[in-house]
Amino acid sequence: MKIEKKVNLKNIENKVSLSLREYENKKILFRLFNTKKNKSKSFAIYEKAKNSTTIKEAFNNDYRKIDIEYDTTKNNRFKKVNLLVDINSYLDKNKKDLYLDLINSNKSFIKENNNKDILENISYFEKRINELK
């Protein structure tokens, strides 16, 4: 008598938005200080994703494409940048000062909170932003 084992293969869903999948391994840098309203859904989403260093990692932490649009100011609705994405369409030379503000904010946050995990991405984006022309 043969006993068959049922193998339950879980579908591994790619959470990255289809329009961003080719960029899923691109570096990102969140503002470490969460500027959203405490106890709001957006605060919780941001809090969970803010230590992510790639797009894929952020999406695996429940971040969404709409969040990227808001936090990068790509939609031009907000004056503060809360996310840097290493994709040319998300980096505008006219917003260089806003990007540097995010980097400086993160440096201060790290000094005050001893969060050294994100230093590599800060250095990467500092160089990348200074090269914008």
Side-chain angles (χ1 to χ4, degrees):
M1 178 182 238
K2 228 181 193 182
I3 300 175
E4 286 186 40
K5 284 187 178 179
K6 284 188 178 180
V7 179
N8 187 7
L9 295 176
K10 212 178 191 182
N11 284 344
I12 299 171
E13 179 185 350
N14 188 341
K15 293 183 177 186
V16 177
S17 167
L18 190 57
S19 63
L20 290 171
R21 283 202 185 140
E22 68 181 287
Y23 305 112
E24 67 183 16
N25 293 315
K26 289 286 191 177
K27 289 184 182 283
I28 59 172
L29 179 65
F30 285 90
R31 182 179 300 273
L32 295 174
F33 178 77
N34 191 341
T35 61
K36 304 187 183 299
K37 287 184 181 177
N38 198 0
K39 297 184 183 177
S40 68
K41 183 177 179 181
S42 62
F43 181 91
I45 290 169
Y46 191 90
E47 202 59 30
K48 188 172 179 185
K50 76 178 184 182
N51 290 309
S52 302
T53 58
T54 65
I55 290 174
K56 184 176 185 174
E57 197 177 329
F59 273 80
N60 286 339
N61 286 320
D62 298 333
Y63 210 63
R64 306 163 300 177
K65 185 168 185 340
I66 193 168
D67 299 319
I68 289 176
E69 302 299 319
Y70 276 91
D71 290 334
T72 59
T73 70
K74 185 169 180 175
N75 64 14
N76 291 316
R77 290 181 63 195
F78 301 106
K79 294 184 175 21
K80 198 168 217 169
V81 175
N82 289 319
L83 175 66
L84 297 175
V85 180
D86 189 23
I87 300 173
N88 288 336
S89 63
Y90 285 95
L91 296 173
D92 179 350
K93 66 181 178 189
N94 297 319
K95 295 180 180 178
K96 190 173 176 178
D97 289 339
L98 296 174
Y99 305 152
L100 292 173
D101 174 65
L102 182 151
I103 288 168
N104 291 329
S105 170
N106 281 1
K107 285 180 176 180
S108 295
F109 186 91
I110 287 171
K111 279 182 189 174
E112 295 167 13
N113 298 286
N114 294 324
N115 183 342
K116 306 255 187 263
D117 296 341
I118 211 85
L119 281 174
E120 183 183 321
N121 271 22
I122 290 174
S123 296
Y124 175 84
F125 276 102
E126 191 167 31
K127 183 180 177 197
R128 179 85 165 80
I129 298 310
N130 284 321
E131 291 172 350
L132 286 178
K133 299 199 180 205

